[in-house]
Amino acid sequence: MSRNYFKQKVLLTFGYNGANYHGLQIQKGVEFETVESKLFQALKDSNLIMEQNSNDLSKSGWSRGARTDKGVHALCNSIAVKLCINKEFFKDEIEQNEEENVSKLRDKSKVDYSKVLNVINSNLPNDIKVHSIKLVTQGFDVRKNARYRFYEYIAPVSIYSEKKGEEILEKVSNLVKKFVGTHNFHNYSRGMKYTDPQSMRYILSIQVELFKCQDREFFKFLIHGQSFIYHQIRKMMGIVIQIFQEELPDSFIDNTFFKNQLRIILAPAEGLFLNRISFEGYNTKFDIPQRLEIEEEDQIKIDQFRPTIVDFICEQEIKNQTFTNWLKILKEKNFNIEEEEENNNKAENDD
């Protein structure tokens, strides 16, 4: 039986503004648009997914990285998938025999992945962009092979204090440093017990920067960790706001790691986005087709896409007072956060 394609498993790195989507993951039986539904449709429209596999992600070897939810963005998320490569994606200078079958063993080197990338992006909306395509092993799984995850959180200085950013930057930096290392984060996820082994998480570093957008001051946090539980990052960000607003002692953060139940503010999802996922362990293997690293050309594309997320977050606060209104409602409730937590969609899962 003749075949006009061969299958190649790849890693797609892509960014998206999540404002218009009900999260990353396709949800069966739900009509909400998700980032994955748009991406999978683009692959089908690009003739990279076989018709018989068009209704089932698993048949295409699909595995995802961080499962961001409604309203959360990603600068560089990752998905692995088996693509069906046909002759239209071969290099222009290579003459092809139309009657000759496509063979992975023979034709793998003929593929022009810049063509593949351009075709996929031509079938995607402007708020989703594939940055790179890397070849991976047949058994590669994004979740299992991910070593570290980097998130960013952006919030206006005004929700912390009426003071200028430079005046409170040192205190904010010292507060978030308390998260670095291995700690029990049971208080940072709804319904989790102190004895739950999943509550132990390792944070490698947190950096804080001050920047301006249209003369408004914002903090940018870069959080580097192995994995995060449900609501963890938003509560890490929320407790810093809480310490300023409720005039709590700095030691309040230290107390959250012990065997107790403390209420912590859940910061808005709108400020959170995935920066990237790294694969250090996988990259040390000797039999991989490519190292999964962000190359210079990839970084240029990522930097070009960054304003789609960062400018959007800042402009939403400046125009619509996203964070300001959130804080106002919390103050009106006297920081009673139970109802607020129930009405928020989760921003990051156990990844």
Side-chain angles (χ1 to χ4, degrees):
M1 184 176 179
S2 63
R3 292 179 60 170
N4 62 354
Y5 67 89
F6 66 83
K7 289 185 179 181
Q8 176 62 57
K9 193 161 190 179
V10 302
L11 181 77
L12 303 179
T13 61
F14 61 102
Y16 51 89
N17 181 313
N20 295 323
Y21 303 102
H22 204 78
L24 170 72
Q25 191 170 349
I26 288 179
Q27 301 179 38
K28 293 183 179 180
V30 179
E31 296 182 358
F32 297 121
E33 285 192 338
T34 67
V35 177
E36 273 189 350
S37 66
K38 287 291 187 181
L39 182 56
F40 194 56
Q41 185 61 51
L43 295 179
K44 290 189 285 186
D45 293 342
S46 302
N47 200 24
L48 290 162
I49 299 290
M50 291 191 298
E51 182 64 30
Q52 58 264 43
N53 295 340
S54 62
N55 294 317
D56 190 345
L57 293 180
S58 63
K59 291 182 179 179
S60 295
W62 195 275
S63 66
R64 61 184 63 86
R67 295 172 291 173
T68 59
D69 259 308
K70 183 180 178 181
V72 180
H73 323 288
L75 184 61
C76 193
N77 206 339
S78 301
I79 277 178
V81 60
K82 291 179 183 177
L83 300 182
C84 295
I85 306 295
N86 58 49
K87 292 180 181 180
E88 69 176 285
F89 298 113
F90 286 2
K91 297 171 184 175
D92 290 333
E93 65 270 16
I94 297 176
E95 293 185 6
Q96 303 299 332
N97 183 344
E98 292 299 326
E99 297 180 357
E100 187 178 33
N101 292 343
V102 172
S103 165
K104 183 175 182 178
L105 184 63
R106 183 188 65 239
D107 295 330
K108 187 175 180 179
S109 63
K110 299 177 182 178
V111 181
D112 184 347
Y113 282 98
S114 63
K115 279 188 179 181
V116 181
L117 184 69
N118 291 337
V119 171
I120 296 173
N121 280 327
S122 70
N123 288 308
L124 283 170
N126 292 333
D127 52 8
I128 304 176
K129 184 81 168 182
V130 176
H131 304 310
S132 68
I133 300 175
K134 309 286 186 184
L135 306 186
V136 294
T137 57
Q138 282 295 108
F140 180 85
D141 182 282
V142 179
R143 184 183 174 92
K144 292 178 181 178
N145 285 282
R147 174 63 62 86
Y148 300 116
R149 291 170 175 83
F150 298 77
Y151 279 89
E152 290 189 45
Y153 194 86
I154 291 175
V157 170
S158 59
I159 65 172
Y160 297 85
S161 169
E162 294 180 355
K163 296 181 180 179
K164 292 184 178 181
E166 290 182 355
E167 297 179 58
I168 63 171
L169 178 59
E170 183 178 359
K171 179 172 181 176
V172 171
S173 297
N174 288 334
L175 286 173
V176 296
K177 284 178 183 177
K178 291 177 178 289
F179 295 120
V180 175
T182 301
H183 299 287
N184 191 311
F185 284 94
H186 71 287
N187 275 309
Y188 294 77
S189 184
R190 188 196 314 153
M192 183 167 282
K193 296 181 179 180
Y194 178 79
T195 54
D196 191 331
Q198 291 296 315
S199 66
M200 299 300 295
R201 299 287 155 155
Y202 176 43
I203 306 296
L204 281 82
S205 66
I206 303 183
Q207 299 173 355
V208 191
E209 295 179 9
L210 179 66
F211 72 97
K212 282 189 176 183
C213 179
Q214 299 182 27
D215 294 326
R216 286 285 302 276
E217 288 190 318
F218 290 84
F219 283 132
K220 181 186 76 174
F221 300 83
L222 179 61
I223 305 106
H224 178 192
Q226 281 187 331
S227 59
F228 301 90
I229 51 177
Y230 168 45
H231 278 166
Q232 180 184 339
I233 295 176
R234 288 172 62 193
K235 286 203 169 189
M236 288 167 59
M237 298 295 98
I239 198 172
V240 178
I241 300 168
Q242 190 173 347
I243 285 173
F244 276 92
Q245 288 295 326
E246 298 192 73
E247 298 182 350
L248 300 171
D250 295 1
S251 60
F252 185 66
I253 291 179
D254 302 292
N255 293 335
T256 64
F257 302 136
F258 298 128
K259 191 176 182 179
N260 51 37
Q261 293 294 323
L262 299 175
R263 64 179 183 88
I264 299 174
I265 290 174
L266 183 67
E270 287 81 358
L272 179 64
F273 64 96
L274 176 71
N275 177 287
R276 69 184 186 277
I277 301 172
S278 64
F279 302 92
E280 280 88 342
Y282 174 84
N283 286 337
T284 62
K285 297 181 179 180
F286 71 91
D287 58 345
I288 58 176
Q290 281 184 278
R291 290 173 62 85
L292 302 182
E293 297 174 329
I294 297 176
E295 299 173 10
E296 184 177 353
E297 182 180 355
D298 305 331
Q299 189 62 56
I300 292 172
K301 296 175 184 177
I302 293 168
D303 291 342
Q304 289 172 342
F305 189 78
R306 186 177 180 85
T308 306
I309 297 174
V310 176
D311 290 358
F312 177 83
I313 293 172
C314 296
E315 288 168 4
Q316 286 299 299
E317 169 60 19
I318 293 168
K319 294 178 182 178
N320 303 323
Q321 296 189 309
T322 306
F323 293 87
T324 302
N325 289 333
W326 165 81
L327 183 60
K328 181 181 178 181
I329 293 170
L330 272 183
K331 285 183 174 180
E332 290 173 353
K333 295 179 179 179
N334 195 26
F335 290 91
N336 183 347
I337 62 177
E338 296 303 319
E339 181 181 348
E340 186 266 348
E341 284 193 22
E342 291 296 327
N343 291 334
N344 271 277
N345 287 284
K346 56 188 174 181
E348 74 283 337
N349 281 353
D350 184 5
D351 286 321

